[in-house]
């Protein structure tokens, strides 16, 4: 039997105990007041979030993958973060994956009973060939979900690093992880509804993890998403704008160079700033692990030494 009295996310919020008798404006004001607490709760975990990002990047450099696993809201948040990385950062869809208890159907229709099966968590990791090069991020606001615990136990057996994202410090999931990230945003506006503050806290943590990993991978130059894929008209125009912003090239030049390098913003930036051809630019990016800053530093140093 689950002892809800001891789970932080199941506690009653005294600030909203009479929310059902308030005006609609007062309801949203109360929700807004509670949401303000989330960022401060995440702030207390920044050291662990940074450490986790470094671990994830290290595993990716070894050829591994980042795998999120969770149930319900937490599982859906993992999916949201994973599927946004390819269009935003030009990553292979296999690099960052997300698994939800109950499979694809559970994304759209709740299958809450699936979270109680620890063996299924193990089997779902086994299906994707999870190994020691990968890194697992277990997601569970309550910190006690058997499905996630089963997956984490499997990852431990494989020798892979384990990160937990929960809103219950010292919970089973928090304790099983190598790095436990556990912001405490406080009791929910509606008791136990972790799609609210807890979900927001988890989303903020996942934003930080994936974004900082992508920055370390050279997917960002300045604060621009230079590996964006120009797969529609809006993204094509964004790509042109990025190249113009980074190089001060004219619109005509940016479009011409982008066409030469098959619309790779990174290659176009390197070509314009260094005078390299498209193949040379791509080779330089490969050599410097996609980091434009490193290419420019090397070019400046070479120019200074001539």
């Amino acid at each position: 039997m689950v002892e809800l009295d001891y789970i932080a996310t199941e506690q009653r919020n005294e600030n909203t105990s009479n929310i059902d008798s308030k005006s609609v404006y007062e309801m949203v004001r109360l929700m807004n007041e509670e949401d303000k607490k989330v960022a401060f709760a995440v702030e207390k975990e920044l050291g662990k979030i940074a450490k986790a990002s470094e671990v994830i990047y290290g595993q990716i450099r070894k050829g591994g993958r980042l795998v999120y696993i969770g149930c319900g809201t937490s599982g859906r948040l993992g999916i949201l973060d994973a599927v946004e990385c390819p269009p935003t950062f030009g990553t292979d869809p296999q690099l960052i994956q997300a698994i939800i208890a109950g499979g694809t159907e559970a994304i759209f229709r709740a299958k809450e009973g699936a979270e109680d099966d620890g063996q299924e968590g193990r089997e779902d990791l086994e299906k994707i060939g999870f190994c020691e090069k990968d890194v697992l991020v277990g997601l569970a606001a309550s910190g006690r979900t058997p499905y996630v615990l089963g997956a984490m136990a499997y990852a431990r057996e494989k020798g892979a690093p384990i990160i937990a994202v929960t809103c219950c410090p010292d919970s089973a999931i928090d304790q099983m992880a190598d790095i436990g990230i556990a912001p405490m945003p406080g009791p929910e506006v509606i008791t136990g509804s972790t799609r609210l503050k807890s979900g927001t806290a988890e989303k903020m943590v996942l934003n930080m993890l994936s974004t900082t990993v992508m920055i370390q991978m050279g997917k960002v130059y300045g604060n621009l998403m230079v590996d964006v894929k120009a797969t529609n008209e809006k993204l094509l125009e964004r790509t042109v704008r990025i190249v113009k912003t980074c190089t001060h090239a004219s619109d005509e030049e940016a479009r011409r160079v982008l066409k030469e390098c098959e619309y790779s913003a990174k290659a176009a930036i390197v070509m314009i700033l260094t005078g390299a051809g498209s193949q040379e630019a791509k080779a330089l990016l490969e050599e410097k692990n996609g980091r434009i800053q490193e290419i420019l530093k090397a070019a400046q140093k070479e120019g200074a030494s001539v």
Side-chain angles (χ1 to χ4, degrees):
M1 185 175 66
V2 180
E3 294 288 346
L4 297 182
D5 290 344
Y6 301 101
I7 299 176
T9 54
E10 295 291 335
Q11 302 311 300
R12 193 173 185 201
N13 190 328
E14 294 302 322
N15 296 331
T16 61
S17 59
N18 296 317
I19 195 170
D20 63 331
S21 64
K22 304 293 185 182
S23 68
V24 174
Y25 177 82
E26 188 64 12
M27 291 177 195
V28 296
R29 189 195 68 78
L30 284 169
M31 292 185 72
N32 181 243
E33 287 298 316
E34 291 299 315
D35 285 342
K36 291 175 185 178
K37 301 173 182 178
V38 179
F40 292 110
V42 172
E43 182 180 24
K44 295 178 181 178
E45 300 296 301
L46 293 182
K48 293 177 181 178
I49 296 169
K51 184 177 180 182
S53 175
E54 291 170 351
V55 168
I56 294 168
Y57 175 63
Q59 294 301 104
I60 288 175
R61 286 294 305 275
K62 296 176 185 176
R65 301 165 293 176
L66 166 58
V67 179
Y68 294 129
I69 195 161
C71 312
T73 297
S74 296
R76 294 181 194 100
L77 288 170
I79 292 168
L80 177 62
D81 197 69
V83 301
E84 290 288 353
C85 285
T88 305
F89 300 111
T91 57
D92 186 311
Q94 298 300 311
L95 184 67
I96 302 178
Q97 301 185 30
I99 302 172
I100 186 171
T104 303
E105 183 182 346
I107 301 172
F108 306 100
R109 183 172 302 214
K111 295 180 68 175
E112 302 299 352
E115 72 177 45
D116 295 328
D117 192 340
Q119 182 61 31
E120 187 176 342
R122 300 174 63 93
E123 291 173 358
D124 283 348
L125 283 189
E126 190 173 12
K127 287 175 185 176
I128 66 166
F130 187 90
C131 67
E132 75 281 353
K133 291 191 297 184
D134 300 322
V135 55
L136 184 70
V137 177
L139 307 169
S142 69
R144 39 95 22 220
T145 313
Y147 175 86
V148 178
L149 287 167
M152 293 172 79
Y154 183 83
R156 174 75 67 219
E157 292 168 13
K158 289 294 181 180
I162 304 168
I163 296 161
V165 179
T166 176
C167 292
C168 291
D170 300 320
S171 60
I173 284 172
D174 192 36
Q175 291 177 10
M176 184 177 285
D178 298 307
I179 303 172
I181 301 167
M184 292 184 65
E188 297 291 358
V189 170
I190 305 301
T191 306
S193 182
T194 52
R195 69 186 182 84
L196 299 174
K197 291 196 297 181
S198 296
T200 301
E202 289 182 277
K203 179 66 168 67
M204 291 178 72
V205 171
L206 297 185
N207 283 349
M208 292 179 180
L209 289 177
S210 57
T211 302
T212 55
V213 167
M214 294 297 108
I215 294 170
Q216 291 175 82
M217 291 176 65
K219 301 289 186 179
V220 175
Y221 176 54
N223 64 350
L224 300 171
M225 53 176 85
V226 289
D227 256 333
V228 65
K229 297 297 184 186
T231 53
N232 62 32
E233 186 175 344
K234 182 189 76 173
L235 294 177
L236 172 59
E237 291 307 311
R238 179 179 292 166
T239 302
V240 172
R241 186 180 183 188
I242 287 170
V243 173
K244 289 165 61 179
T245 300
C246 292
T247 65
H248 303 293
S250 67
D251 188 82
E252 182 181 359
E253 182 183 13
R255 293 178 189 276
R256 176 181 59 77
V257 176
L258 277 167
K259 188 174 182 179
E260 288 180 20
C261 62
E262 300 176 314
Y263 294 93
S264 165
K266 287 172 80 170
I269 291 165
V270 172
M271 289 169 68
I272 294 171
L273 293 181
T274 67
S278 61
Q279 293 305 312
E280 184 184 358
K282 291 175 181 179
L284 286 169
L285 286 165
E286 182 74 22
E287 178 187 339
K288 299 295 183 181
N289 297 314
R291 296 172 180 266
I292 295 175
Q293 289 280 19
E294 296 301 318
I295 294 171
L296 298 181
K297 286 179 184 177
Q300 289 173 353
K301 186 176 180 181
E302 184 176 313
S305 62
V306 174

